[in-house]
Amino acid sequence: MFDNILISFGLKSADYKVEAFGSGLINHTYKLTGKAHDYVLQQINTNVFKKPHNIVNNLSLVKEYLSETNPDYLFVAPLKALSNDFLVKSATGDYFRLFPFVKGSHTVNTLENEQEAYQAAQQFGRFTRMLHDFDINKLEYTLVDFHNLKLRFDQFKAASVTANALRLAQASDEIKAVYNNLQILQTYNELVSNNKIPLRVVHHDTKINNVLFDANKNALCLVDLDTVMPGYYLSDIGDMMRTYLSPVNEEETDLSQIHVREDFFRCIYKGYMSEMGSILTETEKQHFIFSGEMMIYMQGLRFLTDFLNNDIYYGAKYPDHNLVRAKNQFKLLTEYLNAEPTFKTMIASVDKEFLAAEI
Ligand code: GN1
Ligand code: MG
């Protein structure tokens, strides 16, 4: 099916079994299983990533930097095609790139134990720490304003003006939830409009299936690096809160199953801080818990906006899919807000452990 694309990468399609791979919503991903080597082939969704060259340029710069500063770090960068470019354009105008498949690796879709949370958080923290001295101005924005909460709110407002009456009525509870939680937007605006927190190199999509694990459940490395670009650390921490704490994910339709596993919070904090504890500013640290509010609220807004826009961004596998996803996220937000006093106590106790270890 991808004969010409594979030829462009110097591979013969007859030598590989091609299967759809992963559960990403945006790009199409395939695994190529061969006799000697396996690969991951990915078609970039250019409706979303309008300048795919920005992605490969960023990854090349990061790879070069890391291979000089941390040669042992496993960074899964795209492979060059025969043309010497990292991207291949198909006859239909689609862009493809190829990655080596990391031997012995697997992904998980929901976290089963706290150790996975710790390890994943440590990996994302390590990545940002290793790039602490990298000049972020060299990086392009692969998605401009990707995690700009103010913009996401404005997009929601615009969608609620143009949405059809039926969808607006169906979404009335979620629309209320947006307005009932405006304090989150306010805090975000205060933080970013006064430059109270610094831009860092962050991943921007810290779902657990973007971490590769080995057979012993040790985290090996990070994947899905398209949104590696300057951003706030809140994005990475917050998306971990959004996707690691609940035993069920954003696709769950039975909302009673959504709850917060508080001990997983402790592991995220411990894992991330083990790498970034000495780098984060006081203001960043003070907003560790806020990050979860921000990202859960943002994802609720994004799903709701897409529902109001007739599912043009995420698509829908059943009629109210994005509305259900939005309901799911707002339920998670409520659970998260309720758990915050416990999170505060946990942070204090982990900080004590860190202090004791230093002495
Ligand atoms: C999209 O494609 P995927 O699953 O890696 C989205 C993320 C959302 C996520 C929700 C570029 O990520 O921001 O959090 O869906 N990526 C983009 O599942 O919009
Ligand atoms: Mg992604």
Side-chain angles (χ1 to χ4, degrees):
M1 144 163 123
F2 298 111
D3 297 12
N4 290 333
I5 303 292
L6 295 196
I7 290 170
S8 308
F9 282 106
L11 304 177
K12 275 195 275 172
S13 64
D15 294 342
Y16 296 91
K17 185 173 92 187
V18 181
E19 296 161 290
F21 189 60
S23 51
L25 298 182
I26 303 299
N27 295 323
H28 291 299
T29 311
Y30 306 88
K31 179 164 180 210
L32 312 182
T33 309
K35 285 211 177 73
H37 299 287
D38 299 345
Y39 297 94
V40 174
L41 179 72
Q42 200 167 45
Q43 179 187 343
I44 300 181
N45 181 335
T46 44
N47 288 327
V48 174
F49 294 101
K50 300 217 159 47
K51 294 183 181 164
H53 278 98
N54 283 351
I55 299 176
V56 291
N57 291 345
N58 281 358
L59 297 187
S60 301
L61 287 168
V62 169
K63 185 186 161 78
E64 195 182 299
Y65 179 84
L66 289 174
S67 59
E68 278 164 19
T69 52
N70 285 288
D72 295 335
Y73 181 73
L74 180 55
F75 184 72
V76 190
L79 299 167
K80 273 191 177 163
L82 299 178
S83 64
N84 234 6
D85 195 352
F86 291 99
L87 288 174
V88 165
K89 198 173 178 181
S90 72
T92 48
D94 298 313
Y95 283 94
F96 287 82
R97 73 259 166 90
L98 189 73
F99 297 91
F101 177 82
V102 179
K103 259 206 166 90
S105 69
H106 70 275
T107 53
V108 293
N109 283 325
T110 33
L111 289 101
E112 274 155 24
N113 60 60
E114 294 159 25
Q115 200 47 27
E116 289 167 344
Y118 178 86
Q119 293 229 0
Q122 190 177 41
Q123 284 287 334
F124 286 109
R126 184 170 299 161
F127 181 67
T128 297
R129 177 176 64 75
M130 282 184 177
L131 293 162
H132 181 48
D133 292 326
F134 176 85
D135 178 5
I136 52 168
N137 297 314
K138 289 185 177 163
L139 295 181
E140 306 281 354
Y141 283 85
T142 59
L143 290 173
V144 177
D145 283 326
F146 184 41
H147 282 180
N148 179 339
L149 188 59
K150 177 166 186 316
L151 177 97
R152 296 298 179 188
F153 179 73
D154 291 344
Q155 288 172 334
F156 155 75
K157 276 205 302 197
S160 39
V161 172
T162 52
N164 74 48
L166 176 65
R167 285 198 177 214
L168 269 179
Q170 279 178 292
S172 64
D173 284 350
E174 287 59 53
I175 293 172
K176 269 188 215 136
V178 170
Y179 286 102
N180 285 342
N181 287 288
L182 277 182
Q183 79 285 353
I184 300 175
L185 178 62
Q186 223 166 34
T187 304
Y188 170 86
N189 284 339
E190 273 162 29
L191 279 175
V192 306
S193 55
N194 298 315
N195 289 330
K196 283 194 179 151
I197 48 173
L199 288 169
R200 303 185 179 281
V201 181
V202 296
H203 182 283
H204 283 107
D205 193 3
T206 56
K207 281 185 296 214
I208 195 65
N209 53 20
N210 285 334
V211 180
L212 299 188
F213 288 90
D214 70 13
N216 300 320
K217 301 210 167 172
N218 289 316
L220 289 170
C221 62
L222 306 178
V223 292
D224 194 9
L225 304 166
D226 300 339
T227 48
V228 166
M229 58 181 162
Y232 299 113
Y233 107 104
L234 300 175
S235 286
D236 279 6
I237 292 293
D239 216 39
M240 287 189 241
M241 309 291 189
R242 185 179 83 78
T243 55
Y244 299 2
L245 298 184
S246 173
V248 292
N249 69 16
E250 66 199 18
E251 296 297 335
E252 182 58 55
T253 55
D254 174 4
L255 303 192
S256 69
Q257 293 201 45
I258 299 170
H259 66 93
V260 162
R261 298 175 293 183
E262 288 158 351
D263 285 334
F264 282 64
F265 175 90
R266 186 203 309 273
C267 293
I268 297 174
Y269 186 70
K270 256 179 128 165
Y272 197 84
M273 285 303 183
S274 71
E275 295 284 340
M276 287 292 288
S278 60
I279 292 180
L280 294 180
T281 65
E282 271 318 302
T283 309
E284 286 180 302
K285 284 184 191 163
Q286 280 159 11
H287 289 83
F288 195 92
I289 295 176
F290 170 74
S291 71
E293 296 180 21
M294 168 183 146
M295 291 307 297
I296 299 168
Y297 185 66
M298 187 185 304
Q299 195 62 54
L301 269 176
R302 291 178 68 191
F303 285 140
L304 180 58
T305 303
D306 203 36
F307 176 72
L308 297 174
N309 284 336
N310 300 324
D311 315 307
I312 47 169
Y313 188 80
Y314 286 114
K317 296 208 168 96
Y318 57 90
D320 298 338
H321 198 163
N322 284 308
L323 180 61
V324 172
R325 285 165 163 162
K327 283 185 195 292
N328 170 311
Q329 296 294 288
F330 285 115
K331 169 79 190 316
L332 179 62
L333 181 61
T334 306
E335 298 288 318
Y336 187 87
L337 291 168
N338 288 340
E340 288 193 355
T342 314
F343 294 160
K344 281 196 186 120
T345 315
M346 283 178 162
I347 287 184
S349 92
V350 175
D351 282 348
K352 262 195 202 151
E353 282 174 37
F354 277 134
L355 262 181
E358 268 172 30
I359 296 163

